């Protein structure tokens, strides 16, 4: 937060689309078709258990923190305001909100939606209850919700869009114990697309919400989700024009996609998350910092990016946990101090492994522990994520050159997900948090409250002192004090190396203008084009229209 107040900036009436056409001139209609990498669709419309599929589509957020523009994009809410002591947040809803079944959407629904997650910890996405800071959520009138905090926290508001606003008249009838398995078979939402036209194992279609709060929105009629097993199936579908919006890695995109229809096939790859090799520091030999340093120095990041990822990402030589997305926050001093850790230096890596006692005792070319057991481990990666599989394959080859036996282990998403949360891995390729501010990335990495919940906290490097440092960020709105805290966290990360940096990922975004326009682009960067972020997805859906 840069100030103690967030004020609404709502434009009611005529809105300008991405191509400058006034809303009254925009053609209504058309269907957006998007690929979903999964094993098929099932009848589950619970936003907390359906893998984020319906965020920003069936369910409208209170607001969106737009990291591309720095703006707050108000949705169900029209304003949100902090008290002077940073312990109270007052949220005001828009006038005339309703659910897709026509019933009024009020502050009581919002208060219920947040309170419900207290009874169901699995839904407590940002640990607002389990950390103990949220004292109460109260609807003081039909439009006003008051969040009372036990302690000042200027960052608390950033977590509000992670909680789904649900209709009390439906969800209150479900027992607390049944909420985690409730499939919400007849969904009622507030998002742009709430009418389930059909659901088949490989395809699903959602259409316009007749009671949507924005006049004439969305411009398009429907969204069709198509199921694909992996990136290799998405690429030909894009090339054939079967889908309009791709959010996956596409090999040699200029030749395989753009060249097939240069007029309509486009892509835009702005900076996204930092990609790391997460290491389980609770297990030998990864509990030795010098071993982790050696595994970092063994990697030629630029070659990995050029060969395995076709040059689309940017090699990350910052050992402090963040990358290009958070460029203005990166400490140059910390980067310089720890630059040797990310420098390709296999000879130094070998020296560090020798010093750690990992040597080839049986002459097979691979290093062993002091007890004679060979150092061997798997690197987890999701089956079908072809670019990351290629990256991990190259990593194993670099490790073999320093005498370390590592294996590519492709797993289903459920195994990958639980493995990261439960620390059931030796090494796993993983991303960092994409958020309003890098403090949220460090919260995910190091806050002990995130252990067992976050994909990022299972590495084993935590301390009460770091918890306190992270918590201190929210006690102030002073930008200089907040940057000093971020600098200290960067120093801690680089000094302990719980994960090995690889590259700053690209935001995978391919789109076709054959039927629809209004897409974000380098020329019109109104939002980071991330399908898998419900808020950003919502902004794009509301901007697309027929050509």
């Amino acid at each position: 937060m840069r100030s103690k107040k967030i004020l609404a900036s709502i434009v009611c009436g005529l809105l300008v689309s991405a191509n400058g056409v006034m809303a009254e001139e925009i053609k209504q209609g058309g269907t957006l078709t998007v690929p979903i990498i999964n094993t098929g669709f099932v009848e589950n419309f619970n936003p907390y258990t359906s893998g984020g599929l319906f965020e920003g589509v069936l369910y409208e957020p209170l607001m969106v923190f737009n990291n591309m523009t720095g703006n707050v994009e108000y949705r169900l809410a029209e304003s949100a305001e902090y008290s002077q002591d940073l312990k109270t947040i007052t949220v005001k809803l828009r006038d005339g909100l309703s659910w897709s079944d026509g019933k009024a959407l009020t502050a009581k629904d919002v208060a219920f939606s947040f309170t419900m997650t207290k009874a169901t910890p699995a839904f407590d996405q940002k640990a607002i209850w389990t950390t103990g800071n949220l004292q109460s959520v109260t609807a003081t009138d039909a439009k006003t919700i008051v969040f009372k905090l036990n302690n000042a926290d200027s960052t608390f508001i950033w977590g509000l869009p992670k909680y789904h606003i649900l209709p009390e008249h439906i969800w209150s009838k479900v027992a607390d114990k049944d909420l985690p398995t409730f499939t919400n078979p007849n969904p009622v939402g507030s998002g742009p697309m709430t009418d389930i036209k059909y659901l088949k194992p490989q395809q699903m279609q959602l259409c316009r919400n007749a009671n949507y709060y924005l006049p004439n929105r969305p411009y398009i009629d429907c969204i069709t989700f198509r199921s694909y097993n992996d990136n290799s199936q998405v690429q030909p579908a894009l090339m054939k024009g079967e889908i309009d919006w791709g959010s996956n890695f596409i090999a040699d995109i200029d030749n395989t996609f753009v060249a097939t229809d240069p007029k309509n096939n486009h892509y835009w790859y702005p900076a996204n998350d930092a990609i790391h090799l997460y290491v389980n520091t609770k297990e030998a030999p990864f509990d030795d910092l010098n071993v982790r340093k050696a595994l970092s120095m063994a990697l030629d990041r630029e070659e990995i990016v050029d060969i395995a990822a076709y040059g689309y990402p940017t090699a990350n030589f910052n050992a402090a946990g963040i990358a290009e997305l958070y460029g203005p926050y990166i400490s140059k001093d910390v980067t310089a101090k720890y630059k040797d850790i990310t420098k390709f230096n296999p000879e130094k890596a070998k020296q560090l492994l020798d010093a750690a006692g990992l040597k080839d005792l049986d002459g097979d070319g691979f290093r062993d522990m002091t007890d004679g057991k060979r150092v061997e481990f798997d690197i987890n990666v999701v089956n079908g994520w072809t670019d990351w599989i290629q990256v991990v394959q190259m990593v194993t080859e670099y490790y073999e050159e320093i005498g370390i036996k590592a294996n590519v282990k492709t797993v289903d998403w459920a195994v990958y997900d639980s493995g990261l949360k439960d620390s059931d891995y030796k090494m796993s390729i993983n991303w960092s948090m994409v958020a309003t501010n890098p403090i949220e990335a460090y919260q995910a990495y190091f806050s002990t409250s995130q252990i067992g919940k976050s994909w990022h906290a299972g590495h084993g490097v935590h301390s009460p002192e770091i918890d306190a440092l992270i918590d201190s960020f929210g006690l102030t709105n002073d930008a200089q004090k907040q940057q000093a805290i971020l600098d200290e966290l960067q120093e801690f990360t680089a000094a302990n190396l719980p994960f090995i940096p690889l590259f700053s990922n690209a935001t995978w975004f391919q789109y076709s203008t054959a039927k629809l326009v209004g897409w974000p682009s380098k020329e019109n960067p109104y939002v980071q084009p991330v399908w898998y972020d419900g808020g950003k997805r919502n902004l794009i859906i509301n901007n697309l229209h027929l050509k």
Side-chain angles (χ1 to χ4, degrees):
M1 294 292 298
R2 291 176 181 160
S3 67
K4 293 176 182 175
K5 293 184 178 181
I6 302 178
L7 299 177
S9 56
I10 303 297
V11 179
C12 296
L14 295 181
L15 299 175
V16 180
S17 76
N19 64 358
V21 180
M22 298 305 290
E24 62 183 2
E25 300 173 357
I26 289 175
K27 289 192 294 184
Q28 298 274 349
T31 296
L32 168 68
T33 303
V34 296
I36 305 295
I37 293 182
N38 63 11
T39 55
F41 300 112
V42 296
E43 193 172 342
N44 177 16
F45 301 102
N46 183 329
Y48 286 106
T49 59
S50 52
L53 194 60
F54 304 110
E55 296 173 17
V57 181
L58 256 169
Y59 306 98
E60 191 84 0
L62 287 172
M63 62 197 75
V64 177
F65 291 96
N66 191 334
N67 65 319
M68 182 64 70
T69 65
N71 296 331
V72 182
E73 311 277 358
Y74 287 97
R75 308 309 288 170
L76 294 178
E78 68 175 15
S79 68
E81 182 178 323
Y82 262 104
S83 61
Q84 190 69 24
D85 63 2
L86 301 177
K87 294 173 70 174
T88 301
I89 303 170
T90 302
V91 175
K92 292 281 189 178
L93 296 181
R94 292 172 179 252
D95 289 325
L97 294 175
S98 64
W99 294 105
S100 57
D101 63 0
K103 296 184 183 299
L105 190 166
T106 72
K108 284 186 63 181
D109 292 299
V110 178
F112 164 80
S113 298
F114 281 91
T115 304
M116 182 188 75
T117 67
K118 183 177 183 179
T120 314
F123 294 177
D124 191 6
Q125 306 276 62
K126 300 293 288 185
I128 57 176
W129 295 108
T130 53
T131 54
N133 196 25
L134 182 57
Q135 185 182 116
S136 64
V137 186
T138 307
T140 58
D141 61 42
K143 284 187 58 180
T144 308
I145 309 99
V146 177
F147 295 80
K148 289 283 187 180
L149 310 182
N150 289 310
N151 303 298
D153 186 356
S154 63
T155 74
F156 184 91
I157 196 169
W158 298 338
L160 298 188
K162 300 300 182 184
Y163 292 80
H164 305 293
I165 308 308
L166 303 170
E168 183 180 18
H169 63 279
I170 292 175
W171 286 74
S172 63
K173 297 176 183 178
V174 183
D176 291 345
K177 65 179 180 63
D178 296 327
L179 285 170
T181 57
F182 178 52
T183 60
N184 192 26
N186 299 299
V188 171
S190 58
M193 302 287 178
T194 56
D195 183 10
I196 313 299
K197 286 296 184 183
Y198 61 82
L199 188 155
K200 302 175 182 178
Q202 300 305 311
Q203 191 161 285
M204 173 173 54
Q205 188 174 82
L206 284 73
C207 295
R208 297 179 85 244
N209 176 3
N211 292 302
Y212 197 46
Y213 67 99
L214 291 177
N216 302 316
R217 300 294 182 100
Y219 301 128
I220 58 175
D221 287 338
C222 301
I223 299 178
T224 299
F225 297 162
R226 288 186 178 173
S227 176
Y228 296 91
N229 291 331
D230 54 41
N231 293 345
S232 65
Q233 292 185 337
V234 173
Q235 183 164 332
L238 271 170
M239 293 165 60
K240 294 175 184 177
E242 295 175 355
I243 52 182
D244 304 302
W245 177 350
S247 297
N248 309 91
F249 172 80
I250 301 297
D252 194 15
I253 190 167
D254 287 304
N255 291 317
T256 61
F257 176 58
V258 176
T260 60
D261 186 357
K263 183 179 179 180
N264 293 306
N265 290 354
H266 311 279
Y267 68 95
W268 178 41
Y269 286 172
N272 201 14
D273 43 359
I275 306 303
H276 310 307
L277 294 171
Y278 282 58
V279 183
N280 191 337
T281 67
K282 294 175 285 188
E283 298 190 16
F286 307 117
D287 55 349
D288 188 324
L289 177 59
N290 282 328
V291 172
R292 303 199 293 274
K293 288 181 178 180
L295 294 174
S296 178
M297 294 177 179
L299 302 177
D300 186 336
R301 289 161 175 79
E302 290 182 334
E303 189 169 77
I304 289 173
V305 165
D306 288 343
I307 295 176
Y310 291 83
Y312 301 134
T314 304
N316 184 19
F317 298 97
N318 178 29
I322 54 179
E324 187 180 355
L325 179 70
Y326 298 122
Y329 299 96
I330 292 176
S331 167
K332 294 180 180 178
D333 292 339
V334 173
T335 300
K337 179 178 178 180
Y338 293 94
K339 64 181 180 180
D340 289 345
I341 293 177
T342 57
K343 182 180 179 180
F344 180 48
N345 191 342
E347 293 308 312
K348 179 62 175 178
K350 292 176 184 177
Q351 293 172 17
L352 289 173
L353 293 173
D354 287 343
L358 304 184
K359 300 179 179 180
D360 182 4
L361 302 178
D362 57 10
D364 67 351
F366 292 106
R367 295 175 183 269
D368 305 293
M369 304 283 282
T370 54
D371 61 2
K373 185 178 180 180
R374 186 163 76 178
V375 178
E376 183 172 359
F377 56 90
D378 295 330
I379 306 177
N380 288 0
V381 60
V382 177
N383 184 39
W385 291 10
T386 52
D387 54 329
W388 281 14
I389 292 172
Q390 291 172 176
V391 167
V392 171
Q393 181 60 50
M394 284 192 71
V395 167
T396 65
E397 292 167 2
Y398 281 117
Y399 286 166
E400 184 172 351
E401 291 176 6
I402 60 169
I404 296 293
K405 177 63 174 172
N407 309 302
V408 179
K409 185 178 181 181
T410 58
V411 297
D412 290 338
W413 168 257
V415 175
Y416 178 82
D417 171 57
S418 62
L420 285 169
K421 290 176 180 175
D422 300 337
S423 301
D424 186 17
Y425 65 92
K426 300 291 194 301
M427 183 178 284
S428 183
I429 188 170
N430 191 16
W431 63 92
S432 66
M433 182 74 73
V434 175
T436 307
N437 183 286
I439 190 63
E440 295 185 84
Y442 290 109
Q443 288 171 339
Y445 290 149
F446 299 121
S447 290
T448 53
S449 64
Q450 293 298 303
I451 297 174
K453 296 180 179 179
S454 166
W455 295 306
H456 313 287
H459 47 71
V461 176
H462 305 279
S463 76
E465 293 77 17
I466 290 300
D467 272 358
L469 180 64
I470 290 171
D471 291 344
S472 72
F473 188 97
L475 300 178
T476 179
N477 268 338
D478 186 291
Q480 289 186 330
K481 291 180 180 178
Q482 290 181 334
Q483 184 59 51
I485 293 167
L486 291 174
D487 290 349
E488 194 171 342
L489 288 167
Q490 290 177 66
E491 173 80 26
F492 175 80
T493 305
N496 288 278
L497 206 65
F499 31 79
I500 296 165
L502 290 174
F503 48 80
S504 177
N505 211 16
T507 300
W508 308 120
F509 174 52
Q510 308 89 25
Y511 61 100
S512 169
T513 56
K515 297 181 299 182
L516 301 173
V517 293
W519 303 97
S521 64
K522 185 177 181 180
E523 295 72 30
N524 184 25
Y526 64 84
V527 69
Q528 186 185 17
V530 183
W531 167 262
Y532 298 102
D533 182 297
K536 295 168 185 174
R537 175 197 305 167
N538 179 277
L539 298 180
I540 296 173
I541 290 171
N542 272 291
N543 206 54
L544 294 177
H545 59 89
L546 284 173
K547 192 171 183 177

